[in-house]
Amino acid sequence: MAKETTYEEIARELKNRIYKPVYYLMGEESYYIDRISEYIAQTVLNENEKEFNQTIVYGADTDIATVINAAKRYPMMSKYQVVIVKEAQNIKNIEELAYYLQKPLDSTILVLCHKHGTLDRKKKLAAEIEKVGVLFESKKIKDAQLPGFISSYLKRRSVEIEPKASEMMAEFVGADLSRMAGELEKLIITLPREQKRITPEQIERNIGISKDYNNFELRNALVAKDVFKANQIIKYFEENPKTNPLQMTLSVLFNFFSNLMLAYYAPDKSEQGIANQLGLKSPWQSKDYMAAMRKYSGVKVMQIIGEIRYCDAKSKGVGNPSLEDGDLLRELVYKILH
């Protein structure tokens, strides 16, 4: 199986002005598809060249013959022309593009953005794309990888973030990378002029997440089996239901304990070994799992996962005629801690 092209590899080549005749960008995560296509649109041609040599069309409003004809044009007073097809998943008979790709123009950079799905890699078109250009799949990242994404994003903007602040953002925003990028930009704008480090206090002021009463702190309380702290947080959640919905909390707890279950199967129980098992970018992210493994047995973790599923069902009305979200969470936390 051929090695998959990464976003970092594509970005590096584009920065060095190394271009391919075709970029087929596909997958469930629109963030990287948008970043690559926007970078090509903004940087390949200057403003004067764009007027005659940059074409942007939408899949629902065009057909494959029009796209191929556009790709076959030669640039005017420019080395390249750029043709960008957004929502390419809506183009019928896209397989016909394979014939153009057997002899594509080096002066054309054709970019196809196929969101919320993928091209069948077994078909001829995929093979032709890989021969002359880039076939890139933008995959949804796991929740455990979000702190790494946050740190990398901010590093490119010459800003650091404290680990707790990174976890708060990951659990509040979730794996929607476009929304995450927007929230991080807000934080960068609100940083004092000389400050280059994002703290939990700044997130509390500007994003609206309490630095002491949030899903991150609830998880920490459960890891430490701190009954008093856990109940304080539940009370705060009851009083602020709009910013602390039960479904978000259940998602955070389910992801944590599911990963904890996987951690038990790590051949190497060191920080690095668990990081490798869970796909974490940094070994320090393993510390919470190692601490939890000292408090909870594998059998108990399996029971907890079952209780979280049961609580989720009850929150949706299954076998629950009267309990409010706060009572459901309190009952769940009791079962986790005892």
Side-chain angles (χ1 to χ4, degrees):
M1 187 175 178
K3 176 179 173 289
E4 290 193 10
T5 304
T6 66
Y7 166 75
E8 288 76 15
E9 289 169 344
I10 297 170
R12 187 162 52 247
E13 286 199 344
L14 290 175
K15 189 174 181 181
N16 290 325
R17 302 189 72 80
I18 300 171
Y19 304 127
K20 300 291 175 64
V22 61
Y23 293 83
Y24 199 101
L25 314 173
M26 62 185 184
E28 297 298 327
E29 179 50 72
S30 62
Y31 175 78
Y32 291 113
I33 295 173
D34 289 339
R35 278 188 66 90
I36 295 169
S37 60
E38 286 169 7
Y39 187 86
I40 291 172
Q42 291 168 6
T43 64
V44 173
L45 305 175
N46 63 40
E47 290 305 314
N48 291 330
E49 292 171 333
K50 286 178 185 178
E51 185 174 354
F52 296 105
N53 299 291
Q54 185 151 292
T55 304
I56 299 176
V57 297
Y58 289 81
D61 302 326
T62 191
D63 55 45
I64 193 60
T66 302
V67 171
I68 292 172
N69 287 335
K72 285 182 175 179
R73 287 199 304 263
Y74 286 94
M76 293 178 61
M77 296 175 289
S78 172
K79 184 178 181 181
Y80 296 106
Q81 73 146 339
V82 175
V83 179
I84 298 175
V85 184
K86 297 189 175 184
E87 300 172 7
Q89 69 273 14
N90 294 321
I91 296 181
K92 295 178 181 178
N93 303 319
I94 198 168
E95 283 292 320
E96 293 176 16
L97 182 64
Y99 300 108
Y100 164 75
L101 294 177
Q102 289 173 5
K103 198 173 180 181
L105 288 184
D106 290 335
S107 57
T108 293
I109 300 170
L110 175 60
V111 184
L112 298 110
C113 305
H114 177 155
K115 295 183 179 180
H116 316 302
T118 58
L119 192 66
D120 187 344
R121 290 178 181 271
K122 296 178 182 178
K123 291 191 175 181
K124 182 179 180 180
L125 177 56
E128 294 297 335
I129 292 169
E130 290 187 308
K131 283 180 188 176
V132 298
V134 172
L135 181 61
F136 170 69
E137 182 175 354
S138 184
K139 298 177 181 178
K140 284 284 185 185
I141 71 171
K142 298 176 182 177
D143 289 340
Q145 297 171 310
L146 277 172
F149 170 83
I150 292 167
S151 297
S152 297
Y153 184 95
L154 292 172
K155 187 177 181 181
R156 290 195 298 272
R157 305 283 271 105
S158 301
V159 175
E160 295 180 348
I161 186 168
E162 293 184 9
K164 178 179 176 179
S166 179
E167 292 282 358
M168 287 169 66
M169 289 299 294
E171 292 177 358
F172 177 72
V173 177
D176 182 338
L177 298 189
S178 297
R179 183 184 166 211
M180 178 66 77
E183 296 292 348
L184 292 175
E185 287 297 328
K186 289 180 190 175
L187 288 171
I188 292 169
I189 291 169
T190 60
L191 276 173
R193 183 174 297 178
E194 301 302 321
Q195 188 177 328
K196 292 293 182 181
R197 187 175 180 85
I198 293 172
T199 65
E201 288 77 15
Q202 189 197 2
I203 291 174
E204 185 174 37
R205 286 194 302 270
N206 296 288
I207 304 296
I209 317 168
S210 168
K211 67 182 177 65
D212 296 314
Y213 301 102
N214 55 65
N215 288 315
F216 175 69
E217 291 299 334
L218 176 60
R219 193 191 71 183
N220 283 349
L222 295 177
V223 169
K225 289 203 168 183
D226 187 335
V227 177
F228 179 71
K229 179 66 175 177
N231 281 293
Q232 278 187 314
I233 295 170
I234 293 169
K235 185 173 184 296
Y236 180 86
F237 283 6
E238 279 184 302
E239 294 169 353
N240 299 273
K242 289 185 178 179
T243 53
N244 301 279
L246 178 61
Q247 293 304 317
M248 184 183 291
T249 301
L250 294 180
S251 176
V252 168
L253 296 181
F254 182 80
N255 288 333
F256 178 77
F257 283 102
S258 296
N259 280 337
L260 182 58
M261 193 74 251
L262 290 175
Y264 279 104
Y265 292 94
D268 175 9
K269 298 296 193 296
S270 67
E271 285 185 12
Q272 187 62 59
I274 291 174
N276 292 340
Q277 176 79 352
L278 300 181
L280 306 175
K281 285 198 171 182
S282 173
W284 67 260
Q285 292 176 269
S286 303
K287 290 181 179 178
D288 287 342
Y289 294 104
M290 295 181 74
M293 288 170 76
R294 292 191 288 269
K295 297 282 188 177
Y296 297 93
S297 68
V299 173
K300 178 63 176 176
V301 171
M302 289 186 69
Q303 292 173 349
I304 289 170
I305 292 171
E307 291 294 347
I308 295 171
R309 288 182 181 277
Y310 184 46
C311 181
D312 180 54
K314 289 205 290 186
S315 73
K316 294 168 182 171
V318 179
N320 172 38
S322 59
L323 286 179
E324 298 290 335
D325 285 357
D327 295 323
L328 288 173
L329 182 58
R330 188 172 287 102
E331 179 182 72
L332 173 63
V333 167
Y334 178 87
K335 289 177 178 177
I336 291 173
L337 293 172
H338 296 86

